[in-house]
């Protein structure tokens, strides 16, 4: 039986100890308006205090709703929220790409989707470095991926895969929601249908399987039907390259 209250306390303790042991000061994280960044923000506020947490909204041809939910979250927990609009940066980058050749929309689709989280993570690290210099204490960048996403590789290599501390990486989607309930994350954020805000599809539609099936598969692959089992196994196999960099050793 998953004890959400106990695990929330354990994660908060883990964050506090890590910061104390390494003489760290604050944290920067992207706030998407969804449950994962909402729960991570709540954990960080509990562990470090609201004055040491800085959230970023990083719109890039994004839905206004995401920004509004991020604002609601920051006001609820009392941490600073900064907006860095990456739309023009993305458009300028695309202008340069379009000078190279005439590419079809289908050819560009995956690259266009994945450049956005890479730009966002660059912005997070820029602000972490800037805040470290201004406040004379080290700011880390927090990751917001959960266990289900990580297992099937549902993240962008060099984008949201890059972070300094991962508070919820060992929790399934259902467990993250239960921790969020303990931390009183606003309901419209906690129960919002997960989507990447990039492809106009829900996470589960894009993956072709439900997060509950991924969680069950990780417990025992026989708990899911053959079609889902095959899909999850393939997603996991295809994403293994995201975790390891083959390095030649003499």
């Amino acid at each position: 039986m998953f004890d959400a209250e106990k695990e929330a306390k354990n994660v908060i303790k883990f964050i506090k100890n890590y910061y104390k042991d390494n003489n760290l000061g604050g944290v920067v994280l992207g706030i998407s308006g969804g449950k994962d960044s909402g729960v991570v923000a709540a954990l960080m506020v509990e562990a470090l205090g609201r004055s040491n947490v800085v959230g970023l909204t990083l719109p890039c041809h994004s839905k206004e709703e995401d920004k509004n939910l991020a604002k609601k979250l920051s006001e609820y927990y009392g941490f600073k929220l900064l907006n860095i609009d990456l739309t023009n940066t993305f458009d300028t980058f695309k202008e340069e790409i379009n000078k190279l050749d005439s590419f079809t929309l289908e050819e560009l689709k995956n690259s266009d989707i994945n450049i956005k989280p890479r730009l966002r993570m660059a912005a997070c690290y820029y602000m972490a470095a800037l805040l470290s210099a201004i406040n004379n204490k080290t700011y880390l960048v927090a990751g917001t991926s959960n266990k289900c996403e990580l297992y099937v590789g549902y993240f962008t290599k060099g984008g949201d895969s890059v972070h300094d501390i991962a508070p919820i990486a060992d929790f399934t989607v259902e467990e993250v929601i239960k921790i969020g309930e303990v931390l009183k994350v606003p309901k419209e954020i906690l129960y919002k249908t997960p989507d990447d805000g990039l492809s106009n599809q829900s996470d589960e539609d894009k993956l072709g399987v439900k997060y509950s099936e991924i969680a069950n598969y990780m417990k025992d692959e026989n708990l899911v039907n053959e079609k889902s089992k095959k899909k999850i196994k393939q997603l996991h196999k295809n994403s293994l390259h995201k975790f390891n960099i083959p390095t030649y050793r003499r």
Side-chain angles (χ1 to χ4, degrees):
M1 186 71 177
F2 182 71
D3 189 335
E5 189 169 351
K6 178 182 176 182
E7 287 300 338
K9 289 178 181 176
N10 286 343
V11 179
I12 291 164
K13 183 180 178 182
F14 159 76
I15 296 166
K16 283 181 175 179
N17 288 343
Y18 186 75
Y19 268 70
K20 182 180 178 182
D21 292 346
N22 293 280
N23 194 30
L24 302 169
V27 68
V28 171
L29 72 155
I31 307 292
S32 68
K35 69 182 180 316
D36 292 326
S37 62
V39 170
V40 172
L43 288 166
M44 286 296 180
V45 168
E46 288 291 328
L48 306 178
R50 65 187 66 177
S51 63
N52 293 311
V53 178
V54 177
L56 302 181
T57 48
L58 301 158
C60 188
H61 294 289
S62 308
K63 294 182 287 187
E64 191 67 22
E65 178 198 5
D66 295 343
K67 189 176 173 181
N68 292 337
L69 288 173
K71 186 170 184 280
K72 177 161 190 169
L73 184 78
S74 70
E75 290 174 347
Y76 183 79
Y77 288 109
F79 61 86
K80 183 181 286 186
L81 186 69
L82 305 175
N83 183 63
I84 302 174
D85 196 321
L86 296 172
T87 303
N88 290 337
T89 305
F90 172 82
D91 290 346
T92 300
F93 182 85
K94 284 301 302 291
E95 285 173 12
E96 293 301 312
I97 295 299
N98 290 333
K99 291 176 185 177
L100 300 177
D101 205 339
S102 179
F103 302 107
T104 67
L105 291 176
E106 189 60 32
E107 288 171 336
L108 290 166
K109 182 179 178 182
N110 194 53
S111 295
D112 282 356
I113 288 172
N114 284 292
I115 191 61
K116 293 177 182 179
R118 289 170 178 144
L119 290 173
R120 286 169 174 160
M121 196 49 66
C124 285
Y125 272 94
Y126 186 96
M127 286 308 303
L130 179 58
L131 290 167
S132 296
I134 292 170
N135 297 314
N136 198 30
K137 58 185 180 183
T138 302
Y139 280 71
L140 299 185
V141 174
T144 60
S145 293
N146 62 61
K147 190 173 185 177
C148 294
E149 291 172 329
L150 291 169
Y151 188 80
V152 294
Y154 190 61
F155 57 86
T156 296
K157 194 174 184 179
D160 46 341
S161 69
V162 182
H163 47 261
D164 303 313
I165 186 167
I168 61 170
D170 199 35
F171 298 113
T172 66
V173 169
E174 184 182 356
E175 290 168 344
V176 170
I177 290 172
K178 287 181 177 177
I179 291 172
E181 289 171 343
V182 169
L183 298 170
K184 296 181 170 51
V185 174
K187 290 181 179 180
E188 59 265 55
I189 294 169
L190 190 60
Y191 303 124
K192 179 188 172 189
T193 300
D195 68 76
D196 60 9
L198 304 170
S199 61
N200 296 316
Q201 288 181 294
S202 72
D203 288 355
E204 293 181 334
D205 286 341
K206 197 171 179 185
L207 286 168
V209 290
K210 295 184 180 300
Y211 279 128
S212 58
E213 292 178 303
I214 298 170
N216 285 333
Y217 180 91
M218 288 188 289
K219 292 177 191 172
D220 180 352
E221 65 177 43
N222 295 315
L223 292 174
V224 300
N225 62 53
E226 285 301 318
K227 182 181 177 182
S228 295
K229 184 191 297 186
K230 184 178 179 181
K231 181 69 174 178
I232 295 166
K233 189 177 291 185
Q234 193 63 44
L235 286 168
H236 178 69
K237 182 180 178 182
N238 289 350
S239 67
L240 290 176
H241 70 93
K242 294 184 176 184
F243 297 95
N244 298 292
I245 298 175
T247 305
Y248 169 74
R249 305 289 185 189
R250 289 183 294 172

